[in-house]
Amino acid sequence: MIRPQPYAPALVFLAGLALLAPTAQAVEYSQVQPAASKLEFTFKQMGVPVPGHFKRFDARLRFDPARPEQASASFSVDLASIDAGSPEANAEVAGKQWFDLPQFGSARFVSSQVRPLGGQRYEVRGTLNLKGQTREVVATFQVKEEAGRAVFTATLPLKRLEFGVGAGPWGDTSIVADQVDVRLQLLATPGK
């Protein structure tokens, strides 16, 4: 007669958990929470950092931490919702030399590739359409998962002159630097 080992029930329990583990880990974040998300930027004017943000943008996201290469993202920004620090600055950037809002009211990014970098860091490539110019851009982002949700923080350095933003006298990079650092923070929950 074979006697059951005292640890046999524990082994059966652990084997059951191992079978369930892939299902428990499968989470795809796709529900962006706009009220808890933000799109900010910083540029330098005469060497001094100037912050700003956009009040309205739409983000679409599909991200499974177990399969990051299959992730996709798209963003559409209402350029008229800019807050560049003052009503005067907002009026200036609406003009033809900057965003030319009557002709180009939005900017759009669509991802084409996501690559893991390690340590919850990723690289995303895609195309950005801004002021009628389409360019490939590369951003990095981090993901922090907690309490059934994820916070995505992305940084994207842009050269504004590549998109024709800040033409004429504003093309002088000693007044306004060419580089604009864009920072996006999204709060997302799993899809239903």
Side-chain angles (χ1 to χ4, degrees):
M1 177 174 178
I2 298 176
R3 289 184 155 178
Q5 298 297 320
Y7 52 83
L11 287 177
V12 171
F13 177 73
L14 289 175
L17 283 180
L19 290 173
L20 293 175
T23 305
Q25 296 297 326
V27 174
E28 182 177 80
Y29 296 101
S30 61
Q31 302 297 311
V32 175
Q33 307 301 312
S37 300
K38 55 189 172 182
L39 178 58
E40 302 170 323
F41 60 88
T42 305
F43 64 94
K44 288 187 178 179
Q45 186 166 349
M46 295 192 295
V48 177
V50 179
H53 67 277
F54 291 94
K55 298 173 190 169
R56 292 184 301 276
F57 62 94
D58 180 54
R60 306 281 177 200
L61 176 69
R62 294 179 64 88
F63 182 84
D64 179 347
R67 297 187 304 268
E69 299 86 356
Q70 296 178 13
S72 64
S74 65
F75 305 98
S76 182
V77 181
D78 178 356
L79 297 175
S81 74
I82 192 170
D83 183 346
S86 70
E88 296 80 16
N90 296 345
E92 180 66 38
V93 297
K96 189 169 187 170
Q97 293 180 330
W98 287 93
F99 287 142
D100 193 4
L101 292 183
Q103 189 169 350
F104 305 105
S106 66
R108 182 160 174 76
F109 170 82
V110 178
S111 68
S112 58
Q113 179 186 34
V114 174
R115 183 172 69 93
L117 300 175
Q120 301 297 321
R121 293 179 57 246
Y122 304 86
E123 177 186 87
V124 59
R125 291 181 176 271
T127 55
L128 176 64
N129 182 282
L130 173 60
K131 201 178 176 183
Q133 303 292 319
T134 301
R135 302 270 189 269
E136 182 174 304
V137 295
V138 179
T140 57
F141 69 95
Q142 293 182 311
V143 180
K144 183 177 180 184
E145 296 179 271
E146 57 182 34
R149 60 189 193 165
V151 177
F152 296 81
T153 305
T155 55
L156 172 64
L158 288 180
K159 300 292 186 185
R160 65 180 177 85
L161 294 175
E162 289 182 358
F163 295 92
V165 175
W170 296 110
D172 181 352
T173 56
S174 68
I175 297 172
V176 178
D178 190 18
Q179 182 162 315
V180 178
D181 295 314
V182 179
R183 184 172 183 268
L184 175 70
Q185 182 174 305
L186 294 179
L187 175 65
T189 56
K192 298 182 183 198

